[in-house]
Amino acid sequence: FWLAEIQMDLGQTEAAERSFAAGAQAMEEAAAQFPADSPRRVLAMTSAPAEQALLSLRAGRHAAALDQASAIVKRLDDLAAEYAKSDPVIQRWISIGALHNPLEVVTAAAIHLGKYDVAEAAARRHDTLPPGQVTDPDLHQAARQVEIARAQVGQGKRAEARATLEPALALLKERAGTGTTPLRLRQGLAEALYVAALAQADDAAGL
C-alpha cells in the first residue's frame, strides 16, 4: 500500500488506484491462509478498507474519507468487543495498531469538513490508545494535542486550545533543537505553530 500512498501524494490517482487494488488482492490472499472463522483473518480484511480511507483523504475526498474511516473504527470496535474474552490478543492488537490510522483519518477529514466536534472526539479517543511499538509515546501524545487544539479553535474555544497546545509545542520545540530533525518532527512543529497562530486571541480591532 505504501506505493499507492506515494502515487496519490504525487497526484497519480489512476496509478495509485491500481497499486491499491494489487495490494488489496495480496492482502486478501494472505488472509485466506487463516481458517475462515479465524479472528486474525477477519481482522486482516480490515486493512484494505482502512487504506482506502487514507487514500481518499490524501486525494482530497474528505467526506468519503470520513465515512470510510468511521466505518472501519466501528468495525474494529465490534471486533474488539466480540473477542474481548475469547482472544484478548486480538483486542490488544486493535488498540495498539489497527485503530490508530482510521482515527487519524477521521480527525483530519472532520477538520477539513468543519466538523470540529467530531474531530475533537476522535483525537481525544486516539490520545487514550497506547502508542504503537515503534512510536515515541511523547510524540504520539503531542500529535494528538495538536489535533485537539485545532478542533477546539474551530469551535471557537481559543483559550482551551492554547492550554491544550502548550505542552505539545514545548516538546516539539525541544526535540527540534537537539540536532538533526526528522522530517516528520519538522512537520509536526510546523503544524503546531500554525495552530498556535490560529489560537491567538483577537486584538482590539477584532483581527
Side-chain angles (χ1 to χ4, degrees), residues 4-56:
E5 294 174 16
I6 293 173
Q7 290 168 327
M8 190 64 77
D9 288 342
L10 293 173
Q12 301 171 1
T13 304
E14 293 183 359
E17 290 174 350
R18 289 194 297 270
S19 296
F20 168 75
Q25 182 178 355
M27 183 61 67
E28 185 174 350
E29 292 172 355
Q33 304 304 310
F34 295 107
D37 59 348
S38 168
R40 286 163 177 77
R41 179 172 182 168
V42 175
L43 188 57
M45 293 304 295
T46 66
S47 297
E51 180 67 19
Q52 181 67 75
L54 176 59
L55 292 176
S56 292

Side-chain angles (χ1 to χ4, degrees), residues 43 79-81 83-85 87-96:
L43 188 57
L79 289 174
Y83 295 110
K85 294 182 179 179
D87 197 336
V89 173
I90 291 295
Q91 184 185 40
R92 175 166 173 74
W93 194 90
I94 289 172
S95 294
I96 68 172

Side-chain angles (χ1 to χ4, degrees), residues 74-87:
K74 183 179 186 307
R75 177 61 172 149
L76 291 170
D77 284 343
D78 290 344
L79 289 174
E82 181 179 351
Y83 295 110
K85 294 182 179 179
S86 62
D87 197 336

